[in-house]
Amino acid sequence: MKQEAKWLGRELGRLDLSRASPVVNVGSSTRYFREVQQPWIDQDLFAPLRRRGGRVIHQDLKADDGVDVVGSLMDPECLARLAEWSPRSVCCTSVLEHVDDRRGFAQRLTELVAPDGVLLLSVPRAFPWHPDPIDTMFRPSVDELVALFPTMRPRAAKVVACGRLLDLVAGDLPGAVSRLLKPGRGAGADDVPRASLRQWLWPWLVKPFEVTCVVLEHA
């Protein structure tokens, strides 16, 4: 979300370029998503780094325009391909709520970060169920998110207020509704039916969204 991207972008901008770049954007989605559907992702988070001469490596499960490395972070071959880019830092936004093995995934993220690099993380704190393809409903506090990374320490942390539903869908109403309502699996391995409008829409018309954001470095 916009405020989330601004907060992460400011923290990335505080780092020396040699420490911040190259940065791996884990679960990047497509160029269209980052630059057209939600343009603040590129404008506020990655474009300032590129203007300083930095590089961004986009990783995702799907092969599409704007994805540099295709594959799962849990696949050693994907990790090897990412290592060829010699990354310093890692950015992983709104991904941890969509993986079954959070601790295993957190370990892979830790391994990607260079000794002097940082890990920029965000996970929804207050946000509706949104399967992609699953949503485990992991909605951590700062302490809960930091605890997933026992060999790292927080450099910065904040629960960022991100407005309400109309702020999120402004300019992309069809796409946002499609993403929030699409079928998927819920927590664990059990199938969960498609969420109805009544399940999630009404409370979130007035309830503000929040995102837990942290920047970690090796201890």
Side-chain angles (χ1 to χ4, degrees), residues 126-193:
F127 198 81
W129 180 71
H130 57 293
D132 188 21
I134 67 170
D135 181 354
T136 63
M137 290 304 294
F138 181 52
R139 302 292 189 268
S141 65
V142 166
D143 288 344
E144 289 168 335
L145 185 53
V146 171
L148 281 177
F149 301 86
T151 64
M152 305 191 83
R153 62 190 175 201
R155 173 185 171 91
K158 185 176 182 179
V159 175
V160 177
C162 292
R164 292 174 171 79
L165 179 65
L166 291 180
D167 301 313
L168 174 68
V169 303
D172 184 30
L173 180 58
V177 171
S178 175
R179 289 191 296 275
L180 287 170
L181 289 179
K182 68 183 178 181
R185 291 189 297 114
D190 296 330
D191 288 343
V192 174

